[in-house]
């Protein structure tokens, strides 16, 4: 700890005000971000501008990404951009029997550093990542298929916000108990009081494992990374094989900051896998792994929860996101808002709406009544209009992340009457990119054979316009969907106070995050760190929320030492 102190003082001067603001904002839930969203904000104070970020990205390609980790027994790679080019990057492959003990060796000093020092080191890591946002954006773009601006914002400042949010919650939870020694005196009447000196230390569980996803490697990876690191744990990042580069860059920055701050760089390490190796299952049940963060399929999430019994497991799995359309006083705004939500990143977001529940007798609007068929046709037209220009379509859709998404998109057209057909969008810069507009399929909610489609997650640019007998039937289907299948997001449009209250009550009882009557520039599939909770942890879609106290509090325990005074 003495070694790290000079650097810690510098970090406090740089970052303590940011930490204080983050702590204040998670209490007020107001808008705030220390990381700029606009690309032109970068280029000063040592940050990379757009050209420098691209050059830095290209310099990494077609070479070995050395992290100087212990236990490296070979090299592996094979990432291919959803836009076509092979990245050509080779990453160290670890012998985990060597790497995991090396990661544990740095834990005592990291524990003794205390919550504030850990938080400040984490903020320095985030600051250095932020300075390289343009470089990270290219890495996210060419692993996830996100269009550049989305990769820049969601993979950059928005992901960094989520990391900082986790640090703030971790700091707050750890400092609920007083630091240092506390005097305890119990009166004993005429006898001398009982006196003890008590010392309380937050202690991490050990090594945490973050199992990354291919669609949002940083946005979904940073909460677990920084929540575990800030609470005194070492963190092993296991990226998705198709999205290694963004997390490898993250690990490299973290290791550099840890070393410069006087700590063991092996507190953060990377675990890559050879083709078909499937190391996530092997790592997940290792006794050294005490925390697991996972984003991905329900099948593997359920397996982790059932089998990684030695670890505290946080999962974000599949859900069926639903929007109930009852009535609106801004029909045009509703259509525009939904069209954008269905199109953004080709629906490859865990928060994208899938099922649109519409009464078969239609809805009331400010433009007069609209039948079910009219609502569906108008929404299809809104999506078509939004994506009619290929340049704008490419900027919104990005590329399909893998062939499985394309297969689901093509299969969806056979599930019912197609209200909006998908079309291929050529990309002027990347001719090999697979870019497709969304498909919308009409399904009859009263027919049992349609349930298999709309009560299963169809990840990608697929939505189902489900006709229901009435708003009341839609409400019941909404409840059943959340309860049985889970939902990361729920949306509703209504001008009825009774219906609004009914939807709200369902979401409160079934623990789902609700957005009502969105018609402007905020969308059901977007959340803001420090203010919005991503998931609730209370329905089958996820057992944790990003980010609340429960997300961080069980990553450490408070150990008490009592001394006779």
């Amino acid at each position: 700890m003495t070694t790290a102190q000079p650097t810690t003082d510098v970090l406090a001067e740089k970052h303590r005000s940011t930490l204080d603001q983050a702590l204040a904002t998670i209490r007020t839930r107001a808008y705030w971000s220390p990381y700029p969203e606009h690309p032109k904000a970068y280029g000063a104070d040592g940050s990379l501008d757009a050209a420098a970020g691209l050059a830095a990205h290209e310099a990494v390609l077609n070479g070995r990404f050395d992290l100087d980790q212990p236990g490296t027994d070979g090299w592996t790679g094979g990432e291919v951009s959803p836009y076509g080019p092979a990245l050509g990057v080779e990453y160290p492959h670890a012998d985990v029997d060597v790497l995991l003990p090396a990661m544990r060796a740095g834990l005592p000093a990291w524990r003794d550093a205390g919550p504030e020092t850990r938080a400040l080191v984490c903020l320095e890591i985030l600051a250095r990542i932020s300075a390289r946002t343009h470089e990270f954006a290219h890495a996210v773009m060419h692993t996830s298929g996100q269009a550049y601006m989305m990769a820049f914002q969601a993979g950059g400042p928005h992901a960094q916000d989520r990391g900082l949010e986790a640090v703030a919650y971790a700091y707050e939870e750890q400092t609920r108990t007083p630091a240092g020694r506390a005097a305890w005196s119990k009166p004993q009447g005429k006898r001398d009081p009982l006196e003890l000196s008590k010392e309380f230390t937050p202690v991490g569980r050990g090594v945490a494992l973050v199992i990354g996803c291919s669609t949002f490697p940083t946005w979904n990876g940073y909460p677990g990374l920084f929540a575990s690191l800030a609470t005194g744990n070492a963190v092993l990042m296991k990226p998705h094989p198709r999205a290694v580069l963004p997390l490898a860059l993250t690990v490299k920055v973290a290791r550099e900051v840890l070393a410069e701050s006087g700590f063991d760089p092996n507190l953060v390490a990377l675990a890559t896998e050879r083709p078909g190796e499937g190391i996530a299952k092997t790592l997940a049940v290792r006794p050294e792994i005490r925390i697991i963060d996972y984003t991905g399929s329900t099948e593997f999430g359920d397996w982790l929860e059932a089998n990684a019994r030695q670890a505290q497991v946080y999962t974000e799995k599949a859900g069926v996101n639903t929007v109930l359309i009852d009535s609106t006083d801004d029909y045009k705004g509703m259509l525009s808002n939904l069209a954008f939500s269905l199109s953004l990143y080709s629906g490859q977001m865990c928060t994208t709406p899938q099922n649109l529940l519409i009464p078969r007798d239609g809805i009331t609007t400010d433009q007069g009544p609209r039948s079910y068929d009219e609502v569906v046709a108008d929404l299809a037209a809104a999506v078509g209009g939004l994506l009619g220009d290929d340049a704008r379509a490419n900027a919104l859709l990005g590329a399909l992340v893998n062939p499985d998404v394309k297969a689901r998109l093509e299969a969806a057209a056979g599930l019912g009457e197609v209200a909006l057909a998908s079309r291929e969008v050529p990309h002027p810069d990347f001719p090999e990119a697979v870019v497709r507009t969304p498909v919308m399929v009409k399904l009859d909610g009263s027919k049992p054979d349609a349930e298999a489609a709309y009560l299963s997650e169809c990840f990608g640019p697929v939505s189902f316009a489900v006709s229901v007998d009435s708003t009341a039937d839609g409400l019941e289907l909404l409840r059943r969907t959340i309860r049985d299948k889970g939902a990361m997001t729920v949306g509703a449009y209504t001008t009825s106070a009774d219906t609004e209250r009914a939807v709200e009550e369902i979401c409160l009882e079934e623990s789902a995050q609700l957005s009502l009557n969105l018609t402007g520039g905020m969308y059901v599939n977007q959340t803001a760190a420090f203010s919005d909770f991503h998931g609730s942890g209370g329905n089958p879609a996820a057992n944790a929320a990003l980010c609340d106290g429960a997300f961080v509090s069980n990553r450490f325990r408070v150990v008490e030492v009592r001394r006779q005074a």
Side-chain angles (χ1 to χ4, degrees):
M1 191 171 172
T2 303
T3 307
Q5 193 61 46
T7 303
T8 301
D9 291 340
V10 173
L11 294 182
E13 185 177 346
K14 290 174 65 175
H15 302 305
R16 182 66 222 202
S17 62
T18 302
L19 177 60
D20 289 341
Q21 184 62 57
L23 291 165
T25 307
I26 62 175
R27 299 182 191 113
T28 64
R29 316 307 293 181
Y31 170 76
W32 172 73
S33 172
Y35 309 116
E37 281 187 318
H38 199 288
K40 292 183 178 179
Y42 297 82
D45 301 323
S47 64
L48 301 181
D49 62 14
L54 176 59
H57 170 70
E58 291 177 339
V60 172
L61 304 180
N62 301 307
R64 283 191 169 176
F65 197 101
D66 192 5
L67 290 169
D68 194 27
Q69 291 184 173
T72 297
D73 61 8
W75 298 84
T76 186
E79 291 160 293
V80 176
S81 169
Y83 289 94
L87 302 191
V89 184
E90 287 189 313
Y91 305 96
H93 182 276
D95 179 346
V96 294
D97 288 328
V98 176
L99 180 59
L100 287 173
M103 295 183 72
R104 288 183 55 84
L107 286 173
W110 190 235
R111 174 200 66 213
D112 294 344
E116 181 175 17
T117 295
R118 289 195 292 268
L120 293 171
V121 171
C122 287
L123 265 62
E124 177 65 14
I125 295 170
L126 285 164
R128 295 198 192 181
I129 290 171
S130 175
R132 297 168 62 177
T133 292
H134 276 288
E135 178 187 359
F136 273 75
H138 287 286
V140 171
M141 174 183 176
H142 285 291
T143 52
S144 70
Q146 295 174 29
Y148 184 75
M149 271 306 298
M150 184 173 185
F152 178 89
Q153 292 186 338
H158 297 171
Q160 296 151 22
D161 283 341
R162 284 296 184 191
L164 175 55
E165 177 187 49
V167 173
Y169 273 98
Y171 179 84
E172 182 152 278
E173 291 298 321
Q174 290 174 98
T175 54
R176 289 185 186 279
T177 304
R181 293 189 180 183
W184 183 86
S185 180
K186 181 179 179 180
Q188 295 293 296
K190 294 180 179 180
R191 293 174 293 168
D192 291 339
L194 298 176
E195 294 185 342
L196 293 175
S197 171
K198 302 182 180 184
E199 189 172 4
F200 305 94
T201 303
V203 179
R205 286 182 173 270
V207 180
L209 173 67
V210 176
I211 303 174
C213 67
S214 61
T215 48
F216 288 89
T218 56
W219 198 98
N220 277 109
Y222 284 6
L225 164 62
F226 287 101
S228 286
L229 195 60
T231 50
N233 302 280
V235 184
L236 181 60
M237 303 294 287
K238 205 299 291 183
H240 191 285
R242 289 192 292 262
V244 180
L245 184 55
L247 295 185
L249 290 167
T250 302
V251 168
K252 190 176 185 69
V253 173
R255 291 174 64 84
E256 290 170 353
V257 172
L258 285 163
E260 291 174 20
S261 303
F263 297 103
D264 190 336
N266 295 321
L267 288 166
V268 178
L270 185 75
T272 58
E273 56 192 302
R274 299 186 177 104
E277 186 177 5
I279 63 170
K281 275 193 173 182
T282 302
L283 288 169
V285 295
R286 295 272 308 205
E288 302 95 330
I289 299 299
R290 305 304 304 276
I291 302 166
I292 298 174
D293 288 275
Y294 167 74
T295 300
S297 71
T298 296
E299 181 182 11
F300 190 58
D302 289 345
W303 185 91
L304 287 171
E305 291 170 1
N307 291 277
R309 306 302 294 271
Q310 85 293 346
Q312 184 71 25
V313 179
Y314 301 88
T315 59
E316 181 189 314
K317 301 176 287 189
V320 177
N321 301 321
T322 302
V323 177
L324 175 70
I325 303 177
D326 167 71
S327 53
T328 179
D329 57 9
D330 185 357
Y331 188 59
K332 183 178 179 181
M334 180 189 79
L335 295 174
S336 175
N337 191 279
L338 285 173
F340 188 92
S341 293
L342 296 173
S343 303
L344 185 62
Y345 185 34
S346 300
Q348 298 171 121
M349 303 171 69
C350 60
T351 50
T352 299
Q354 175 180 298
N355 293 346
L356 309 170
L357 309 184
I358 308 167
R360 66 180 77 255
D361 291 337
I363 67 172
T364 59
T365 81
D366 57 318
Q367 298 182 18
R370 290 290 188 271
S371 69
Y372 164 83
D373 289 330
E374 289 174 324
V375 174
V376 176
D378 290 345
L379 181 55
V383 175
L386 177 67
L387 303 176
D389 176 76
D390 285 353
R392 181 164 60 177
N394 276 305
L396 284 175
L397 295 170
L400 299 188
V401 69
N402 61 52
D404 292 340
V405 176
K406 181 172 179 283
R408 283 193 293 272
L409 170 66
E410 293 171 345
L415 297 174
E417 180 185 343
V418 175
L420 174 66
S422 177
R423 72 177 182 90
E424 184 175 349
V425 181
H427 199 294
D429 300 319
F430 301 101
E432 296 177 65
V434 179
V435 184
R436 298 289 189 274
T437 62
V439 64
M440 186 184 305
V441 179
K442 297 166 76 172
L443 295 175
D444 188 337
S446 66
K447 293 185 176 179
D449 59 349
E451 282 196 7
Y454 67 75
L455 286 184
S456 299
E457 185 190 42
C458 192
F459 185 77
V462 177
S463 62
F464 299 117
V466 182
S467 62
V468 293
D469 289 338
S470 64
T471 294
D473 289 325
L475 288 166
E476 183 53 38
L477 179 54
L478 172 64
R479 182 189 295 276
R480 184 158 61 95
T481 302
I482 301 169
R483 180 177 294 171
D484 295 348
K485 303 298 180 179
M488 294 299 293
T489 58
V490 172
Y493 290 89
T494 182
T495 58
S496 163
D498 290 342
T499 300
E500 180 175 322
R501 181 58 192 164
V503 174
E504 186 177 350
E505 190 63 26
I506 287 171
C507 289
L508 289 171
E509 291 177 357
E510 305 301 333
S511 195
Q513 311 295 13
L514 171 64
S515 297
L516 285 165
N517 297 317
L518 297 184
T519 56
M522 277 301 298
Y523 305 93
V524 66
N525 45 346
Q526 294 178 322
T527 59
F530 310 108
S531 184
D532 296 322
F533 293 109
H534 175 73
S536 71
N539 68 64
N543 73 359
L546 305 179
C547 182
D548 60 9
F551 185 70
V552 299
S553 61
N554 214 12
R555 295 172 190 262
F556 71 95
R557 310 312 298 165
V558 176
V559 176
E560 175 185 359
V561 176
R562 301 191 299 178
R563 293 178 174 86
Q564 187 71 48

